[in-house]
Amino acid sequence: MSEYMSSTALPLGSFAGRMAAYHMGWVDTHAQPQASSSGKFVRPSLCLWACVACGGDVESALPAAAALEWIHNFTLIHDDIQDGDRQRRGRQTVWSVWGMPQGINAGDALFALAFTNLAAQSHVPDRTLRVVRALSEATLEVIEGQCLDLQFEGRIDTTLGDYLRMVRGKTGALLGASLEAGALASGAAEDLSRAFRYAGRLLGTAFQMRDDWLGIWGDPSLTGKSRSADAKRRKMTYPTIVAYDAMSPSQRGRMRALFGEQATERDSEIRELLEEMGGSELTREAPARFARKAVNAVARTGLSKESVEKFDAMAHYVATRRR
């Protein structure tokens, strides 16, 4: 997949192309080739699996799979700017190297690239149009989810329902579109593509819950990100919401006080309070529950046992990954 994407990438001769290639881990800041992590390619993998599971061939879904990864990385570049994160995949983020305005440009370029390549490599226009619509609608949901994520920062009264609504957009929408796009690329019927979209949204919830856990208790050498970033932003992550719900009145008062202070030296106290509540154990199994729901949703579509087993393996990875 990485090879296919690099063949459709922006030219390195352009400044936007240089920034995008750096973000993808293909080059260093001087545009010299460099072997670095390009991400997990979860969304393209789901798209290709869905296409083959529905009777299509991998080649017909490659443009959609690449578009999904470009869109995902567009959101990552902008997310780093909005959260002020200076590290991703163990390297400096695009904006921390070239500044926020250029970081915005790099993200915008990837968004445009996704749909440019998708349209240019179309052999079945009707299917491509359906894929474009699915990805466009999902992108709008991702943006709304990101708006909610920022809106919830520092709001310790955020409910689990609020969190799930935010996650369905921020992460679930694009994973749902990944499965939907693969089905559409194969020529599958609308009811099957909708069922796949639903399963992908469930898997997206599992993905984000696991991401939230990794943001606090993951190994930075594997995740490539700091353990303190979420606390510093006073993010309302799944562990924070669940732990707060289980706290005594005095503990809640302490957490509210910590969330009301923006001093970075208090960040470690938030983590300590979460650990005091057993936040790690409280939230460790949640991703697996949603991953199982996603697998059950796929199994109900009547796919072959082999196809369901392959999806089960991907869902297990999403729910238990270490990076």
Coordinates of all heavy atoms in Angstrom, one line a residue, residues 242-292:
V242 N -14.7 7.6 32.4 CA -15.1 6.4 33.2 C -14.6 6.5 34.6 O -15.3 6.1 35.6 CB -14.6 5.1 32.5 CG1 -14.9 3.9 33.4 CG2 -15.3 4.9 31.2
A243 N -13.3 6.9 34.8 CA -12.8 7.0 36.1 C -13.5 8.1 36.9 O -13.8 7.9 38.1 CB -11.3 7.4 36.0
Y244 N -13.8 9.2 36.3 CA -14.5 10.3 37.0 C -15.9 9.8 37.5 O -16.4 10.1 38.6 CB -14.7 11.5 36.1 CG -15.4 12.7 36.8 CD1 -14.6 13.5 37.7 CD2 -16.7 13.0 36.5 CE1 -15.2 14.5 38.3 CE2 -17.3 14.1 37.2 CZ -16.6 14.9 38.1 OH -17.2 15.9 38.7
D245 N -16.6 9.0 36.7 CA -17.9 8.5 37.0 C -17.8 7.6 38.3 O -18.8 7.5 39.0 CB -18.5 7.7 35.9 CG -19.9 7.3 36.1 OD1 -20.7 8.2 36.3 OD2 -20.2 6.1 36.0
A246 N -16.7 6.9 38.5 CA -16.5 6.0 39.6 C -15.9 6.6 40.8 O -15.8 6.0 41.9 CB -15.6 4.8 39.1
M247 N -15.6 7.9 40.8 CA -14.9 8.6 41.9 C -15.9 8.9 43.0 O -17.1 9.1 42.8 CB -14.2 9.8 41.4 CG -13.0 9.6 40.6 SD -12.3 11.2 40.0 CE -11.0 10.6 39.0
S248 N -15.3 9.1 44.2 CA -16.1 9.5 45.3 C -16.3 11.1 45.2 O -15.5 11.7 44.4 CB -15.3 9.3 46.6 OG -14.1 10.0 46.7
P249 N -17.2 11.7 45.9 CA -17.3 13.1 45.9 C -16.0 13.9 46.1 O -15.8 14.9 45.4 CB -18.4 13.4 46.9 CG -19.2 12.2 47.0 CD -18.2 11.1 46.8
S250 N -15.2 13.5 47.1 CA -14.0 14.2 47.3 C -13.0 14.0 46.2 O -12.3 15.0 45.8 CB -13.3 13.7 48.6 OG -13.0 12.3 48.5
Q251 N -12.9 12.9 45.6 CA -12.1 12.7 44.4 C -12.5 13.5 43.2 O -11.7 14.0 42.5 CB -12.0 11.2 44.1 CG -11.3 10.3 45.1 CD -11.4 8.8 44.8 OE1 -12.5 8.4 44.4 NE2 -10.3 8.1 45.0
R252 N -13.8 13.6 43.0 CA -14.4 14.4 41.9 C -14.0 15.9 42.2 O -13.7 16.6 41.2 CB -15.9 14.2 41.8 CG -16.3 12.9 41.3 CD -17.8 12.8 41.1 NE -18.2 11.6 40.5 CZ -19.5 11.3 40.1 NH1 -20.4 12.2 40.2 NH2 -19.8 10.1 39.6
G253 N -14.1 16.3 43.4 CA -13.7 17.7 43.7 C -12.2 17.9 43.4 O -11.9 19.0 42.8
R254 N -11.4 17.0 43.7 CA -10.0 17.1 43.4 C -9.8 17.2 41.8 O -9.0 18.0 41.3 CB -9.2 15.9 44.0 CG -7.7 16.0 43.8 CD -7.1 14.8 44.4 NE -5.7 14.5 43.9 CZ -5.1 13.4 44.0 NH1 -5.7 12.4 44.7 NH2 -3.9 13.2 43.6
M255 N -10.5 16.3 41.1 CA -10.3 16.3 39.7 C -10.8 17.6 39.0 O -10.2 18.1 38.1 CB -11.1 15.1 39.1 CG -11.0 14.9 37.6 SD -9.3 14.6 37.0 CE -9.3 12.8 36.9
R256 N -12.0 18.1 39.5 CA -12.5 19.3 39.0 C -11.5 20.5 39.2 O -11.3 21.3 38.3 CB -13.8 19.7 39.7 CG -15.0 18.9 39.2 CD -16.3 19.5 39.6 NE -16.4 19.6 41.0 CZ -17.0 18.6 41.8 NH1 -17.4 17.5 41.2 NH2 -17.1 18.7 43.1
A257 N -10.8 20.5 40.4 CA -9.8 21.5 40.7 C -8.6 21.4 39.7 O -8.1 22.4 39.2 CB -9.4 21.4 42.1
L258 N -8.2 20.1 39.5 CA -7.1 19.9 38.5 C -7.4 20.4 37.1 O -6.6 20.9 36.4 CB -6.7 18.4 38.6 CG -6.0 17.9 39.8 CD1 -5.8 16.4 39.8 CD2 -4.6 18.6 40.0
F259 N -8.7 20.1 36.7 CA -9.1 20.4 35.4 C -9.2 22.0 35.2 O -9.1 22.5 34.1 CB -10.4 19.7 35.0 CG -10.1 18.5 34.1 CD1 -9.4 17.4 34.6 CD2 -10.6 18.5 32.8 CE1 -9.2 16.3 33.8 CE2 -10.4 17.3 32.0 CZ -9.7 16.3 32.5
G260 N -9.5 22.6 36.4 CA -9.6 24.1 36.3 C -8.3 24.8 36.3 O -8.3 26.0 36.0
E261 N -7.2 24.1 36.5 CA -5.9 24.7 36.5 C -5.2 24.3 35.2 O -5.2 23.1 34.8 CB -5.1 24.3 37.7 CG -5.6 24.8 39.0 CD -4.7 24.4 40.2 OE1 -3.5 24.2 39.9 OE2 -5.2 24.4 41.3
Q262 N -4.5 25.2 34.5 CA -3.8 24.9 33.3 C -2.3 24.7 33.5 O -1.6 24.6 32.6 CB -4.1 26.0 32.3 CG -5.5 26.1 31.8 CD -6.0 24.8 31.3 OE1 -5.4 24.1 30.4 NE2 -7.2 24.3 31.7
A263 N -1.9 24.8 34.8 CA -0.4 24.7 35.1 C 0.0 23.3 34.7 O -0.5 22.3 35.1 CB -0.2 24.9 36.5
T264 N 1.1 23.2 33.9 CA 1.5 21.9 33.4 C 2.1 21.0 34.5 O 2.1 19.8 34.4 CB 2.6 22.0 32.3 OG1 3.7 22.8 32.9 CG2 2.1 22.7 31.1
E265 N 2.5 21.6 35.6 CA 3.0 20.8 36.7 C 1.9 20.0 37.4 O 2.2 19.1 38.2 CB 3.8 21.7 37.8 CG 2.9 22.7 38.4 CD 3.0 24.1 37.7 OE1 3.5 24.0 36.5 OE2 2.7 25.1 38.3
R266 N 0.7 20.3 37.1 CA -0.4 19.5 37.7 C -0.8 18.3 36.8 O -1.7 17.5 37.2 CB -1.6 20.4 37.9 CG -1.4 21.7 38.7 CD -0.8 21.4 40.1 NE -1.7 20.7 40.9 CZ -2.6 21.2 41.7 NH1 -2.8 22.5 41.7 NH2 -3.4 20.4 42.5
D267 N -0.2 18.3 35.6 CA -0.6 17.2 34.7 C -0.4 15.8 35.3 O -1.2 14.9 35.1 CB 0.2 17.3 33.4 CG -0.1 18.6 32.6 OD1 -1.1 19.3 33.0 OD2 0.7 18.9 31.7
S268 N 0.7 15.6 36.0 CA 1.0 14.3 36.5 C 0.0 13.9 37.6 O -0.2 12.8 37.8 CB 2.4 14.3 37.1 OG 2.6 15.3 38.1
E269 N -0.6 14.9 38.3 CA -1.5 14.6 39.3 C -2.8 14.1 38.7 O -3.5 13.3 39.3 CB -1.9 15.9 40.1 CG -0.7 16.4 40.9 CD -1.1 17.6 41.8 OE1 -2.1 17.6 42.5 OE2 -0.3 18.6 41.8
I270 N -3.2 14.5 37.5 CA -4.3 13.9 36.8 C -4.1 12.5 36.6 O -5.0 11.6 36.8 CB -4.6 14.7 35.5 CG1 -5.0 16.1 35.8 CG2 -5.7 14.0 34.7 CD1 -5.2 17.0 34.6
R271 N -2.9 12.2 36.0 CA -2.6 10.8 35.8 C -2.6 9.9 37.1 O -3.1 8.8 37.1 CB -1.2 10.7 35.1 CG -0.7 9.3 34.8 CD 0.8 9.3 34.4 NE 1.3 8.0 34.2 CZ 1.3 7.4 33.1 NH1 0.8 8.0 32.0 NH2 1.7 6.1 32.9
E272 N -2.1 10.5 38.1 CA -2.0 9.8 39.4 C -3.4 9.5 39.9 O -3.7 8.4 40.4 CB -1.3 10.6 40.5 CG 0.2 10.7 40.2 CD 0.9 11.7 41.1 OE1 0.2 12.2 42.0 OE2 2.1 11.9 40.9
L273 N -4.3 10.4 39.8 CA -5.7 10.2 40.2 C -6.4 9.2 39.4 O -7.2 8.3 39.9 CB -6.5 11.5 40.2 CG -7.9 11.6 40.8 CD1 -7.9 11.0 42.2 CD2 -8.4 13.0 40.8
L274 N -6.1 9.2 38.1 CA -6.7 8.1 37.2 C -6.2 6.8 37.6 O -7.0 5.8 37.6 CB -6.4 8.4 35.7 CG -7.0 9.7 35.1 CD1 -6.5 9.8 33.7 CD2 -8.5 9.5 35.1
E275 N -4.9 6.7 37.9 CA -4.4 5.4 38.3 C -4.9 5.0 39.7 O -5.1 3.8 40.0 CB -2.8 5.5 38.3 CG -2.3 5.6 36.9 CD -0.8 5.7 36.8 OE1 -0.2 6.0 37.9 OE2 -0.2 5.5 35.7
E276 N -5.1 5.9 40.6 CA -5.7 5.7 41.9 C -7.0 5.0 41.7 O -7.4 4.1 42.5 CB -5.8 7.0 42.6 CG -6.3 6.9 44.1 CD -6.4 8.2 44.7 OE1 -5.4 9.0 44.6 OE2 -7.4 8.5 45.4
M277 N -7.8 5.4 40.7 CA -9.1 4.8 40.5 C -9.1 3.5 39.7 O -10.1 3.0 39.4 CB -10.0 5.9 39.7 CG -10.4 7.1 40.5 SD -11.2 6.6 42.0 CE -12.6 5.7 41.4
G278 N -7.9 3.1 39.3 CA -7.7 1.9 38.5 C -8.2 2.1 37.1 O -8.8 1.3 36.4
G279 N -8.0 3.4 36.6 CA -8.4 3.8 35.2 C -8.0 2.9 34.1 O -8.7 2.6 33.2
S280 N -6.8 2.4 34.3 CA -6.2 1.5 33.2 C -7.1 0.2 33.1 O -7.5 -0.2 32.0 CB -4.8 1.1 33.5 OG -4.3 0.2 32.6
E281 N -7.3 -0.4 34.2 CA -8.1 -1.6 34.2 C -9.6 -1.4 33.8 O -10.2 -2.2 33.2 CB -8.0 -2.4 35.5 CG -6.6 -2.9 35.9 CD -6.0 -3.7 34.8 OE1 -6.8 -4.6 34.2 OE2 -4.9 -3.5 34.4
L282 N -10.1 -0.2 34.3 CA -11.5 0.1 34.0 C -11.8 0.2 32.5 O -12.9 0.0 32.1 CB -11.9 1.4 34.7 CG -12.2 1.4 36.2 CD1 -12.4 2.8 36.7 CD2 -13.5 0.6 36.4
T283 N -10.8 0.6 31.8 CA -11.0 0.9 30.4 C -10.3 0.0 29.4 O -10.5 0.1 28.2 CB -10.5 2.4 30.1 OG1 -9.1 2.4 30.4 CG2 -11.2 3.4 30.9
R284 N -9.5 -1.0 30.0 CA -8.7 -1.8 29.1 C -9.6 -2.7 28.2 O -9.3 -3.0 27.0 CB -7.8 -2.7 29.9 CG -6.8 -3.5 29.1 CD -6.1 -4.6 29.9 NE -5.3 -3.9 31.0 CZ -4.0 -3.5 30.8 NH1 -3.5 -3.7 29.6 NH2 -3.3 -3.0 31.8
E285 N -10.8 -3.2 28.7 CA -11.6 -4.1 28.0 C -12.6 -3.5 27.1 O -13.2 -4.1 26.2 CB -12.3 -5.0 29.0 CG -11.4 -6.0 29.8 CD -10.6 -6.8 28.9 OE1 -11.1 -7.4 27.9 OE2 -9.4 -7.0 29.1
A286 N -12.9 -2.2 27.2 CA -13.9 -1.5 26.4 C -13.6 -1.6 24.9 O -14.6 -1.9 24.2 CB -14.0 0.0 26.9
P287 N -12.4 -1.4 24.4 CA -12.2 -1.5 23.0 C -12.6 -2.9 22.5 O -13.1 -3.0 21.4 CB -10.7 -1.3 22.8 CG -10.3 -0.4 24.0 CD -11.2 -1.0 25.1
A288 N -12.3 -3.9 23.2 CA -12.6 -5.3 22.8 C -14.1 -5.5 22.7 O -14.6 -6.2 21.8 CB -12.0 -6.3 23.8
R289 N -14.9 -4.9 23.6 CA -16.3 -5.0 23.5 C -16.9 -4.4 22.2 O -17.7 -5.0 21.5 CB -17.0 -4.3 24.7 CG -16.8 -5.0 26.0 CD -17.8 -4.6 27.1 NE -17.8 -3.2 27.3 CZ -17.0 -2.6 28.2 NH1 -16.1 -3.4 28.9 NH2 -17.0 -1.3 28.4
F290 N -16.4 -3.3 21.8 CA -16.9 -2.6 20.6 C -16.3 -3.4 19.4 O -17.0 -3.4 18.3 CB -16.5 -1.2 20.6 CG -17.5 -0.3 21.3 CD1 -17.4 -0.1 22.7 CD2 -18.6 0.3 20.7 CE1 -18.3 0.7 23.4 CE2 -19.5 1.0 21.3 CZ -19.4 1.3 22.7
A291 N -15.1 -3.9 19.5 CA -14.6 -4.7 18.4 C -15.4 -5.9 18.1 O -15.7 -6.3 17.0 CB -13.1 -5.0 18.6
R292 N -15.9 -6.6 19.2 CA -16.7 -7.8 19.0 C -18.1 -7.4 18.4 O -18.6 -8.1 17.6 CB -17.0 -8.4 20.4 CG -15.8 -9.2 20.9 CD -16.2 -10.1 22.1 NE -16.6 -9.4 23.3 CZ -15.7 -9.0 24.2 NH1 -14.4 -9.2 24.1 NH2 -16.2 -8.3 25.3

